[in-house]
Amino acid sequence: MSTLWRVADVVSSMPETESARTIGLRVNGQNGKLAGQHIDIRLTADDGYTAVRSYSVARAGMDETLEITVDELVNGEVSPYLVRELAVGDQLEIRGPVGGWFVWKPTDTNPVQLIAGGSGIVPLMSMIRAHHASENPAQFRLLYSLKSPEAGFYREELQTLGQESRKLIIDYVYTRKVPKGWPTAPQRLTAEPLLATILPKDPAPDIFICGQTVFVETVAEWLVQAGYPAASIKTERFGGTGGTR
Amino acid sequence: MGIISSGFHGRRQNGNPALPPGQYETGGFPVLTAGPAPRIPIEDWEFFITTEAGQRHAWSWDAFMALPQMDIDTDIHCVTSWSKLGTSWRGVSLDTLFENVETSCGFTMAHSYGGYTTNLPLPDLLGGRAWVAWEFDGEPLERAHGGPARLLVPHLYFWKSAKWINGIELTQDDDPGFWESNGYHTHGDPWREERYS
């Protein structure tokens, strides 16, 4: 079912940063989505040439819509088209959403620590939105590592959520440039401040890490060494090669 | 033919006959895992095969390295659509490891350090098509890529090539492993695009 190619209508398109765009898609009969899943997108050129890439879902709507956020890769084959060319009213083909591992369900009761590096925020945002829309009272905490304030996705929404939600705490780390009036200089993320800003081992949070390979591997390693059970840590690499293994 | 995106031109890679349908070539070697990479010291490492009769065959690292070693040049294909062509590996053929194993089972479950599992039909592991590899591109296999040793079954999507391999359990039935329980195809042949269940 989820593995068939289906036609999706582009129903919205909003720049997220200078290089990233959030694209809303509607698919007839779309249902059964979980926060954290990805879709495959297939583009076909006018001579029949096709290319397929995986993208994490940023918002798994309750209706027939979903949103992805695509970061343009330098020399990418598919992402420049999605970010620069694709327009509302266009159609493309999608498969999925798929994936049953890197997902959060409203029935999950554990506290949740999310750790995002750059565009790795996308599937984690889907979880934050699903959590916010649910009655689930579990504590969520997001650590969002960014090059600069301008590189942040979903800035206004996260700011509002961070101020208004009692069940979501958001922490930022800026690695190259900090916002005006920020208390510290830009800094590389290191183990000590990371461990000081995430939910403690007790009571055993579920941990989701998404970002570039080095970020994910490094952070996961710190957590294991600090005594977080490996089984509680789910990782996803985010980049040109898609959502999952 | 699907929906045409007239502004999309693409790179025309998939005219390459070495690429299975829906795959594109990458020069890098992406790392894709479900959780943290386990750390397995060589002195604690072993590789086992267990049978339905309860027999257990096991090799320490030294015993494993004393087996005939093979160089393998092959293409690898990830279910997320990247393929890496012309990779070179060194390791032990599963044919060698199964030489003295008696079984009537048709299926296997590969078990990794860290708890990862993946299911494979036994015939897919035999006939010079599968190895336990410990060297990549002339260097010891990095931990991120599955070191000290990983399964290498390059004719199937690469999630079947279990990193941090610990052993193979022979099974009567084709029970799903980790990704196979999470939406992926039970077999995973890239030439048939067996991606999702």
Side-chain angles (χ1 to χ4, degrees), chain A residues 19 21 43 55 70-86, chain B residues 7-8 11:
Chain A
S19 65
R21 180 170 289 271
L43 297 181
Y55 293 98
V70 179
D71 202 11
E72 184 177 5
L73 297 173
V74 180
N75 298 321
E77 183 183 18
V78 171
S79 60
Y81 173 81
L82 296 178
V83 173
R84 306 285 168 204
E85 309 276 336
L86 188 73
Chain B
F8 171 69
R11 295 253 171 79

Side-chain angles (χ1 to χ4, degrees), chain A residues 18-67:
Chain A
E18 277 188 1
S19 65
R21 180 170 289 271
T22 290
I23 297 163
L25 301 170
R26 187 180 57 225
V27 182
N28 284 336
Q30 181 69 256
N31 53 29
K33 297 177 286 246
L34 296 175
Q37 289 185 308
H38 73 272
I39 59 169
D40 290 347
I41 286 189
R42 178 163 73 182
L43 297 181
T44 305
D46 52 16
D47 66 349
Y49 170 82
T50 62
V52 176
R53 293 294 185 280
S54 301
Y55 293 98
S56 287
V57 173
R59 183 196 301 276
M62 303 299 280
D63 52 8
E64 295 181 330
T65 65
L66 56 81
E67 288 176 6

Side-chain angles (χ1 to χ4, degrees), chain A residues 113-191:
Chain A
Q113 177 68 51
L114 308 170
I115 304 177
S119 53
I121 186 70
V122 177
L124 307 184
M125 191 65 188
S126 184
M127 297 180 192
I128 287 172
R129 286 163 163 164
H131 174 241
H132 183 68
S134 75
E135 301 290 311
N136 187 310
Q139 179 70 59
F140 262 47
R141 189 159 181 170
L142 166 68
L143 177 61
Y144 191 2
S145 174
L146 282 168
K147 277 185 217 164
S148 67
E150 297 77 27
F153 292 2
Y154 323 119
R155 272 175 274 169
E156 283 180 23
E157 185 178 350
L158 282 174
Q159 191 179 4
T160 306
L161 282 174
Q163 286 165 356
E164 292 178 0
S165 173
R166 286 163 176 269
K167 51 183 194 176
L168 174 66
I169 302 170
I170 306 176
D171 308 283
Y172 293 93
V173 172
Y174 296 100
T175 58
R176 300 222 189 121
K177 184 186 157 206
V178 297
K180 230 179 177 171
W182 196 251
T184 59
Q187 53 192 319
R188 279 186 64 89
L189 187 59
T190 52

Side-chain angles (χ1 to χ4, degrees), chain A residues 1-3 5 7 38 40 42-54 75-78 81 85-86 91-93 95 98-102 213 216-217 220-221 224-225 229-231 233-237 240-245, chain B residues 1-15 22-26 29-37 39 78-82 114 116 143-144 150 158-164 178-179 181-184 193 195-197:
Chain A
M1 299 229 312
S2 64
T3 64
W5 289 107
V7 176
H38 73 272
D40 290 347
R42 178 163 73 182
L43 297 181
T44 305
D46 52 16
D47 66 349
Y49 170 82
T50 62
V52 176
R53 293 294 185 280
S54 301
N75 298 321
E77 183 183 18
V78 171
Y81 173 81
E85 309 276 336
L86 188 73
Q91 292 186 317
L92 42 72
E93 288 175 294
R95 181 168 59 192
V98 292
W101 170 248
F102 196 85
T213 296
V216 169
E217 302 285 315
E221 184 76 22
V224 170
Q225 285 180 359
I233 304 170
K234 297 184 178 184
T235 62
E236 181 147 287
R237 180 192 186 279
T241 53
T244 61
R245 166 183 296 251
Chain B
M1 194 180 293
I3 302 294
I4 305 292
S5 299
S6 56
F8 171 69
H9 304 297
R11 295 253 171 79
R12 296 297 179 286
Q13 274 189 348
N14 57 6
Q23 296 292 109
Y24 68 93
E25 186 178 0
T26 179
F29 191 176
V31 173
L32 301 160
T33 49
R39 191 181 290 278
C78 179
V79 68
T80 60
S81 301
W82 59 263
Y116 180 74
R143 191 159 65 100
R150 74 180 298 162
F158 216 45
W159 90 78
K160 294 288 185 179
S161 293
K163 296 176 184 181
W164 313 294
F178 176 82
W179 286 118
S181 303
N182 284 291
Y184 285 81
E193 280 214 83
R195 294 178 194 273
Y196 306 120
S197 59

